[in-house]
């Protein structure tokens, strides 16, 4: 129970900035938290990187001041011209300068050599003493431009100098025997990282890695039956603080948006712009800068579908100013908001919870008829609501909204409210898609809030209901109700999922190597029966298969939605990779819908994870509508899709190794012959996906290098 309560407090503390607050202290706090997130100290890995200096020219139409030429290959260095070397007999060239200043992002140079030499050039750093440096073969991964004469090369320092050792010379050497033709060098320089690469490094990506990397055999199997992918898995949620200012949420390619979160449990549609923030912000009624109608209209204008949370708690805000625990009535409290009227957090300074006053202090009753009237008005106005969600995390009402619902939710109350309000919705709109119970996480899939209520014997509510876990019991009861009455009250089972392994939420979350790896692994709780959750849960969650089995056994035909989820560190590549993995799994596992909480920061790795599936090229390139069977080795993932014609394929490939590349050896089984191949890659730069060199292609195979910590999209046609 302590762990569950800790989760609830942690999650709510972060989410309080997501409730739209009035002027004054509420907005100030939200802004301060946002600023704090932006100004947070970098991870240990990022902080260890030395600041790059300005470019240091080494050879540019001649040897630059301070540098010495101490190579052994026959050479000429005419003034105002490239250096010329004969590199037969493993010839080499050493450029030396003692006490090199500063740190560098990369070595850049240009060279030209006979095509018959192939990949012959080896580059390394050197220094006196015991330090050793890698020999780096100049291969296509380091070539940034190639024309008829010159090859331009950039080799990152992470490859040349992975331990950041001091060095004082650059060594260019033939790595194999070549002829006596001239090899020309020019524009040799030590350079800082480009802004894009520097930004990618700050996000934990942007690394090149050495060589082709480990071989990763992957299969896209077009002979197995394809499965339709619901477009609604690419959903996001309302951010109340930024609804009227943010525009980048419309650039994600999101397909549906959810009006949800704690305050929506107390939204008064008749007042239009009033709700209560609950314990997120001192149980205060607030004036919104927008209402549900505005939300729905914004979605319509941006061609995004709508999911709308309906209050089932029975009370909604009566105005835009009242507070649940006014200081004037309850006295000083453990924490309080001095906005007039001053409200507290409902806890005495000694830590004792206050007994709430009457619900009418802040609220008016909202019976099923109140909700029915709203649904009727929305239907009449053709507001285009795709899904109605039966409230938000009701098992937490006795915490989040304890001023009006202090008693913990029981099995029977959850069922009764679902029947009463669900019946009202169905009558108001017979075609409505109804989702519920929108529970927050693991414990409330199995038990009610009453099972853990202080002062009560544990698990008594569940035992009183045949010791059947809550969610299967709930589904069975609704199935029986439909059989008895002919009224279907639930179309989609809605559950929330947050990793409990302390990986953060939103922009929060550590980015040390251990947490990064755990964040990515935590996605396995969605689907993998062999993955033992690395938290207090300490057993396999296998959320999607588990809930699907409950549906199959207790109320067949229901869809499955993950109404909230988030893996934290959205500005780090580990967060982006976790998101890309989750979206791929949602399609693979056949979810009806899913809603990221709330939406990614602009141009963050998590933003581009969405775009990998929804608009990877900025011209509408997207994952297709039919999922294909795939296999990929540990440390990578592969998700593939094709269109209805079978001629267009799109694949998303993930490399979870932060340091080393992978060489994907892709087999296309029964897909037809590869026709066109376009490769788009992303490793953390804010500019998003860029076109990459295509690997070695065969009729039904492709060998493609996957950089460290990267998302690669293959845009393919077959014939």
């Amino acid at each position: 129970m302590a762990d569950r309560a800790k989760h609830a407090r942690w999650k709510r503390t972060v989410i309080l900035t997501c409730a739209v607050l009035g002027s004054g202290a509420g907005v100030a706090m939200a802004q301060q938290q946002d600023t704090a997130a932006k100004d947070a100290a970098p991870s240990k890995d990022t902080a260890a990187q030395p600041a790059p200096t300005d470019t240091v020219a080494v050879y540019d139409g001649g040897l630059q001041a301070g540098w010495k030429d101490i190579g052994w290959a026959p050479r000429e260095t005419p003034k105002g011209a490239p250096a010329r070397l004969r590199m037969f007999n493993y010839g080499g060239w050493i450029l030396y300068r003692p006490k090199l200043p500063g740190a560098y992002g990369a070595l850049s140079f240009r060279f030209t050599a006979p095509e018959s030499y192939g990949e012959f050039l080896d580059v390394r750093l050197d220094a006196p003493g015991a330090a050793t440096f890698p020999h780096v073969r100049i291969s296509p991964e380091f070539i940034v431009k190639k024309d008829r004469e010159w090859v331009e090369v950039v080799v990152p320092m992470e490859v040349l100098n992975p331990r950041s050792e001091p060095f004082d010379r650059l060594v260019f050497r033939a790595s194999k025997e070549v002829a006596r033709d001239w090899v020309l060098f020019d524009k040799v320089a030590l350079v800082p990282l480009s802004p894009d690469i520097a930004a990618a490094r700050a996000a934990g990506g942007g690394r090149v890695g050495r060589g082709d990397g480990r071989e990763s055999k992957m299969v896209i199997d077009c002979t197995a039956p394809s499965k339709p992918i619901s477009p609604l898995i690419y959903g996001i949620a309302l951010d109340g603080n930024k609804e009227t200012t943010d525009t980048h949420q419309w650039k994600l390619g999101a397909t549906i948006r959810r009006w949800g979160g704690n305050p929506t449990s107390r939204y008064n549609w008749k007042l239009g712009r009033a709700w209560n923030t609950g314990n997120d912000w001192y149980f205060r009624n607030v004036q919104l800068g927008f209402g549900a109608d505005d939300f729905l209209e914004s979605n319509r204008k941006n061609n995004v579908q709508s999911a709308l949370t309906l209050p089932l708690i029975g009370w909604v805000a009566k105005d835009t100013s009242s507070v649940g625990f006014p200081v004037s009535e309850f006295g000083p409290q453990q924490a309080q908001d001095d906005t007039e009227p001053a409200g507290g957090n409902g806890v005495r300074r000694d830590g004792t919870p206050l007994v709430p006053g009457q619900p009418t202090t802040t609220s008016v009753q909202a019976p099923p008829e109140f909700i029915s009237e709203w649904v009727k008005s929305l239907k009449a106005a053709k507001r285009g609501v795709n899904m109605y969600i039966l409230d938000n995390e009701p098992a937490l009402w006795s915490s989040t909204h304890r001023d009006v619902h202090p008693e913990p939710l029981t099995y029977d109350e959850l069922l009764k409210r679902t029947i009463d309000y669900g019946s009202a919705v169905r009558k108001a709109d017979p075609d409505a898609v109804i989702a519920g119970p929108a529970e927050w996480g693991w414990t409330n899939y199995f038990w009610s809030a009453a099972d853990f209520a202080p002062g009560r014997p544990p698990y008594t509510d569940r035992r009183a209901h045949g010791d059947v876990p809550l969610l299967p019991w709930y589904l069975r009861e609704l199935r029986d109700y439909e059989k008895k009455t002919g009224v279907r009250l639930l179309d989609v089972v809605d559950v929330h999922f947050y990793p409990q392994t302390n990986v953060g939420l939103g922009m929060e979350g550590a980015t040390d190597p251990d947490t990064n790896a755990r964040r990515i692994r935590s996605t396995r709780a969605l689907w993998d029966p062999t993955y033992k959750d690395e938290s207090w849960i300490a057993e396999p969650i296998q959320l999607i298969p588990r809930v699907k089995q409950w549906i199959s056994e207790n109320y067949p035909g229901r869809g499955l939605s993950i109404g909230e989820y988030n893996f934290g560190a959205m500005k780090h590549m580990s967060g982006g990779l976790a998101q890309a993995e989750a979206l791929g799994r949602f399609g693979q596992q056949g979810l009806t819908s899913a809603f990221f909480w709330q939406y990614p920061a602009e141009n963050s790795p998590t933003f581009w994870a969405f775009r990998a599936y929804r608009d990877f090229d900025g011209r509408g390139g997207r994952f297709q509508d039919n999922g294909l069977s795939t296999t990929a080795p540990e440390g990578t993932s592969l998700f593939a899709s094709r269109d209805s014609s079978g001629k267009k394929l799109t694949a998303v490939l993930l490399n979870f190794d932060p340091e080393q590349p992978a060489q994907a050896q892709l087999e296309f089984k029964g897909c037809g012959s590869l026709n066109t191949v376009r490769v788009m890659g992303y490793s953390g730069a804010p500019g998003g996906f860029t076109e990459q060199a295509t690997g070695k292609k065969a009729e039904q195979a492709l060998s493609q290098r996957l950089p460290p910590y990267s998302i690669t999209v293959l845009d393919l046609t077959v014939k």
Side-chain angles (χ1 to χ4, degrees), residues 416-606:
K416 186 177 188 309
R417 288 188 180 276
T418 300
I419 291 173
D420 291 349
Y421 285 83
S423 297
V425 175
R426 182 63 70 208
K427 186 175 180 180
D429 184 355
D431 299 321
V433 174
I434 303 175
E439 281 298 2
W440 74 265
W442 180 252
T443 57
N444 287 111
Y445 308 153
F446 296 92
W447 299 279
S448 73
D451 278 316
F452 300 105
R456 301 187 186 192
Y459 316 127
T460 53
D461 195 23
R462 173 165 160 170
R463 288 170 182 159
H465 292 83
D467 204 24
V468 178
L470 175 62
L471 195 51
W473 178 87
Y474 173 82
L475 293 172
R476 190 180 307 168
E477 291 293 320
L478 292 176
R479 177 200 65 190
D480 292 346
Y481 181 86
E482 181 177 349
K483 285 182 178 179
K484 181 179 177 180
T485 65
V487 179
R488 187 181 71 257
L489 299 182
L490 193 73
D491 301 289
V492 177
V493 178
D494 179 15
V495 294
H496 297 180
F497 171 77
Y498 289 93
Q500 296 296 289
T501 179
N502 194 26
V503 294
L505 179 69
M507 283 184 274
E508 295 188 354
T511 53
D512 58 277
D514 176 70
T515 305
N516 294 339
R518 196 158 23 88
R519 176 176 292 111
I520 294 169
R521 287 197 304 272
S522 73
T523 61
R524 302 183 78 89
L526 292 166
W527 62 274
D528 187 355
T530 70
Y531 175 71
K532 185 177 179 180
D533 198 65
E534 300 169 73
S535 73
W536 55 270
I537 295 173
E539 62 179 279
I541 293 177
Q542 51 172 334
L543 177 64
I544 299 172
R546 182 189 297 271
V547 178
K548 281 196 164 189
Q549 183 176 348
W550 284 342
I551 292 170
S552 175
E553 292 171 349
N554 297 284
Y555 199 1
R558 302 318 91 195
L560 174 57
S561 178
I562 298 181
E564 287 184 17
Y565 71 94
N566 193 294
F567 299 98
M570 70 167 72
K571 288 191 172 183
H572 192 269
M573 271 304 294
S574 63
L577 285 164
Q579 181 62 33
E581 170 76 4
L583 291 174
R585 296 292 174 185
F586 293 161
Q588 194 179 71
Q589 295 286 316
L591 279 190
T592 301
S593 55
F595 300 87
F596 181 87
W597 181 263
Q598 292 159 293
Y599 51 84
E602 187 169 12
N603 293 330
S604 65
T606 309

Side-chain angles (χ1 to χ4, degrees), residues 236-490:
I236 58 174
L238 163 79
D239 183 337
N241 281 324
K242 301 177 181 178
E243 173 66 12
T244 59
T245 57
D246 267 1
T247 59
H248 75 270
Q249 60 179 309
W250 309 116
K251 301 175 185 177
L252 277 168
T255 51
I256 188 168
R257 211 162 60 115
R258 170 177 171 260
W259 169 276
N262 291 332
T264 58
S265 293
R266 308 267 291 277
Y267 176 70
N268 189 334
W269 70 273
K270 288 191 174 181
L271 294 183
R273 297 190 175 187
W275 64 22
N276 182 283
T277 59
N279 73 351
D280 289 345
W281 192 256
Y282 303 107
F283 303 92
R284 178 176 290 280
N285 290 350
V286 297
Q287 169 85 36
L288 303 171
F290 59 94
D293 284 349
D294 302 308
F295 168 83
L296 295 170
E297 179 61 15
S298 292
N299 290 348
R300 187 194 66 78
K301 285 181 178 178
N302 289 281
N303 198 30
V304 172
Q305 296 196 56
S306 300
L308 197 68
T309 296
L310 302 174
L312 268 66
I313 197 170
W315 297 93
V316 295
K318 71 178 184 181
D319 55 31
T320 59
S321 59
S322 299
V323 293
F325 295 93
V327 173
S328 61
E329 180 179 341
F330 288 89
Q333 296 167 51
Q334 195 177 62
Q336 60 189 53
D337 169 26
D338 291 328
T339 304
E340 188 60 35
N345 67 345
V347 180
R348 290 192 179 94
R349 289 182 173 176
D350 64 3
T352 305
L354 290 165
V355 176
Q358 292 300 312
T360 51
T361 302
T362 59
S363 304
V364 294
Q365 288 186 333
E369 295 75 22
F370 181 87
I371 299 305
S372 174
E373 191 178 344
W374 189 17
V375 173
K376 284 180 182 177
S377 71
L378 292 170
K379 183 175 174 61
K382 297 182 179 180
R383 286 296 189 184
V385 178
N386 176 278
M387 178 187 294
Y388 290 105
I389 303 170
L390 301 181
D391 217 289
N392 180 76
E393 301 180 341
L396 297 179
W397 283 346
S398 53
S399 169
T400 54
H401 296 288
R402 74 180 194 87
D403 59 325
V404 297
H405 196 287
E407 293 301 314
L409 189 78
T410 64
Y411 274 53
D412 291 337
E413 184 186 0
L414 176 63
L415 179 63
K416 186 177 188 309
R417 288 188 180 276
T418 300
I419 291 173
D420 291 349
Y421 285 83
S423 297
V425 175
R426 182 63 70 208
K427 186 175 180 180
D429 184 355
D431 299 321
V433 174
I434 303 175
E439 281 298 2
W440 74 265
W442 180 252
T443 57
N444 287 111
Y445 308 153
F446 296 92
W447 299 279
S448 73
D451 278 316
F452 300 105
R456 301 187 186 192
Y459 316 127
T460 53
D461 195 23
R462 173 165 160 170
R463 288 170 182 159
H465 292 83
D467 204 24
V468 178
L470 175 62
L471 195 51
W473 178 87
Y474 173 82
L475 293 172
R476 190 180 307 168
E477 291 293 320
L478 292 176
R479 177 200 65 190
D480 292 346
Y481 181 86
E482 181 177 349
K483 285 182 178 179
K484 181 179 177 180
T485 65
V487 179
R488 187 181 71 257
L489 299 182
L490 193 73

Side-chain angles (χ1 to χ4, degrees), residues 74-326:
R75 60 199 178 280
E76 297 176 0
T77 54
K79 187 175 181 180
R84 301 192 295 174
L85 286 80
R86 299 189 190 275
M87 303 187 77
F88 64 93
N89 198 25
Y90 298 91
W93 188 31
I94 300 176
L95 301 174
Y96 164 73
R97 179 177 176 178
K99 299 180 181 179
L100 278 172
Y104 311 95
L107 168 67
S108 69
F109 62 93
R110 60 195 307 213
F111 77 98
T112 183
E115 284 191 21
S116 60
Y117 283 17
E119 292 181 13
F120 77 100
L121 185 60
D122 176 294
V123 177
R124 64 183 172 89
L125 309 179
D126 207 353
T132 59
F133 298 86
H135 290 245
V136 179
R137 177 76 59 84
I138 300 305
S139 55
E141 70 206 70
F142 303 116
I143 296 171
V144 297
K145 186 178 178 182
K146 187 175 183 179
D147 57 29
R148 292 182 181 178
E149 183 177 3
W150 291 99
V151 176
E152 295 187 13
V153 174
V154 176
V155 187
M157 278 294 154
E158 72 187 67
V159 178
L160 288 165
N161 192 4
R163 294 186 297 274
S164 299
E165 302 271 8
F167 66 94
D168 62 5
R169 63 202 73 187
L170 314 176
V171 182
F172 301 81
R173 184 188 180 193
S175 61
K176 64 181 182 180
E177 188 56 80
V178 295
R180 294 174 177 264
D181 302 83
W182 288 114
V183 178
L184 277 61
F185 290 88
D186 203 5
K187 305 293 183 184
V188 181
L190 293 166
V191 298
L193 293 174
S194 71
D196 271 358
I197 293 177
R201 293 286 180 82
R207 301 187 181 277
V208 175
R210 295 196 62 192
D212 291 336
R214 68 190 184 283
E215 185 173 284
S216 299
K217 293 184 179 180
M218 300 180 175
V219 178
I220 297 177
D221 187 358
C222 294
T223 65
S226 61
K227 297 179 181 179
I229 298 172
S230 169
L232 303 183
I233 63 174
Y234 309 109
I236 58 174
L238 163 79
D239 183 337
N241 281 324
K242 301 177 181 178
E243 173 66 12
T244 59
T245 57
D246 267 1
T247 59
H248 75 270
Q249 60 179 309
W250 309 116
K251 301 175 185 177
L252 277 168
T255 51
I256 188 168
R257 211 162 60 115
R258 170 177 171 260
W259 169 276
N262 291 332
T264 58
S265 293
R266 308 267 291 277
Y267 176 70
N268 189 334
W269 70 273
K270 288 191 174 181
L271 294 183
R273 297 190 175 187
W275 64 22
N276 182 283
T277 59
N279 73 351
D280 289 345
W281 192 256
Y282 303 107
F283 303 92
R284 178 176 290 280
N285 290 350
V286 297
Q287 169 85 36
L288 303 171
F290 59 94
D293 284 349
D294 302 308
F295 168 83
L296 295 170
E297 179 61 15
S298 292
N299 290 348
R300 187 194 66 78
K301 285 181 178 178
N302 289 281
N303 198 30
V304 172
Q305 296 196 56
S306 300
L308 197 68
T309 296
L310 302 174
L312 268 66
I313 197 170
W315 297 93
V316 295
K318 71 178 184 181
D319 55 31
T320 59
S321 59
S322 299
V323 293
F325 295 93

